[in-house]
Amino acid sequence: MVRCLCLLLFAAWIFFPVDGQCIQEDTWIPTTFEPGSQLQLFTRWIEVPSDDGFLIFLPSDWELVTATAVRQAYRHLDLDIDRIAQDQYLLSSSRPLRGDIEVILEIVTDDQNAFEEYRVSIAPAVKVGSRYLQQDGSIRYGDMRAHPSSETGTALAFDHLTLPLHVLPQWLVPLSDSHTLEFWIQTTTLNTVVISSWDGSETTPYPIELIVDPHGRMRYYRNTSGRHVTLVTEAPVADGNWHHIALVNDAKTRWTRLYLDGELADSLMDPMAIHSSGPYSATIGGRDHADGIGFVNKFIGQMDNVALWSSSYDQAQIRSMMDQTIPRTDVYYCDFESRDCLKYFDQQNLGDYLVSGGPVIETPDYEFRGLVFDPGVMLTWNSLSSPSASFLIHRSEDGIHFEEIARVDQSLVDHQWSYTDQTPLNQVVFYRLFEDAHGSVSSPLGTIKLGLGAQTPPPVAEILGNYPNPFNPQTIITYEVHEPQHITMSVINLSGLVIATLVDRHHEMGVFEASWDGTELSSGTYFLRLQGRNGVIQTRQILLTK
């Protein structure tokens, strides 16, 4: 069985023995995570000399769910977990842990604290009297920073009940020649098929199969006339965070390259290359047959921005694709944001696979924000793009099904952009921002969720109005306080900066007035923000004209 032999050979990492203490080969601990998410930490060890197990230190509010030791040839051994202190876990086994192993920890993080920094550690345990200590010289620390979850659009999700999606063969023609396949993936499952065009027969040529192997790495296979070849990432992808995968096949040079998060992970020059003709079929989220050798677990996780280009892209272009800035004019591209993706699959129930979410694309220059006022929403953002760029605004009531509501072609001043949606807001609404530069539409530059909810309790304070409005240069604001409390009223500009504080004191019940003079400011839109005991209560748009 050539396929099985290939799998076993590449799985058996062989290291030279080291006398003395345990040597840690590699550790993969995410640097950031979403609070409340499930993560997996990976460490590889050489010549573990002790039967005392491993000692793990985690933040006290985190939970270690499972721990697994993986030996060569993918032999998994579940470890026993004993919580010996609020922040300490002892991993042990009835079988010896000596030799070369990889330890995989599945943890659930605290969902309360955003932007906090945490430290985790793992090392072989040494028993001293009745206490367990981490072995000196082998302790590996990982510093992790929490960041809040970010709504970034719609992603493709697979769970225990969903079936693989079948891609129609006409969209897979590039697999017979030079091509680039790229996608984002988030998972913690091991030993699963992600994308496959293999029918399960050892002798059948096939152009592509991508799996998450039992060590959590992304692994690529193809078979040309009974000759299976493979590429693999050194770092794991099944840690629970989003990762970008790109597979590039150059038919002219016969080189195939595998990229992880924009960095070259593995490559090979195959004289046989891909010489079989299509048409091919392929599935996303699993394999189309049940007798796959060795890989029986169902893929569970999310994918987004799946694309197949009929060109072999270089590393710079792949990094650009990660930022979602290249034109979407090639053969196959699906961002799962619209019904256009239905044409790629033979299933028509694609909506059952869609969830709100996706990879977080860092776009610090845009600062996409929204302010709710009576009635409507003011959306603002900054951009250093060329003057020929336009922006598209999409709106959704569920965070999944969006529709375009506006195109904004002209900025205000100093690269400031805005759009006002005057639809009365009586529920939660999602807005997304796209850039359209010379016909190339980006992926979402930002998504925000705004609204008061369909059912809201009566406000404990409210702005009754201001007169005049528009005004030049003074206006009187009338507001009412329904319960005794401390009230703050501020004036903020389109960038969200507080430029004046009009009220900051305790109030009894009653109707009050405050005045604002905008003599020193330029004409434009500003906002009154009323804050009370329950935070921001109300924001109202006002207009200064000179």
Side-chain angles (χ1 to χ4, degrees), residues 7 70 87 123 158 164 175 185 195 210 214 241 260 269 272 284 303 330 349 386 394 482 526 541:
L7 176 64
V70 185
D87 59 350
F158 295 89
L175 292 177
I185 185 172
I195 298 176
L210 285 160
N241 285 332
L260 172 61
M269 201 285 284
M272 300 296 293
I284 297 178
M303 299 177 66
D330 221 321
N349 60 333
S386 62
H394 288 200
H482 301 291
Y526 297 87
Q541 184 182 32

Side-chain angles (χ1 to χ4, degrees), residues 1 3-4 196-206 208-209 223 228 281 287-294:
M1 302 290 284
R3 174 65 183 261
C4 292
S196 179
S197 61
W198 187 39
D199 65 4
S201 172
E202 289 286 344
T203 60
T204 302
Y206 61 92
I208 187 171
E209 181 168 87
N223 176 24
H228 295 264
S281 62
R287 192 182 285 153
D288 196 27
H289 56 90
D291 59 347
I293 300 172

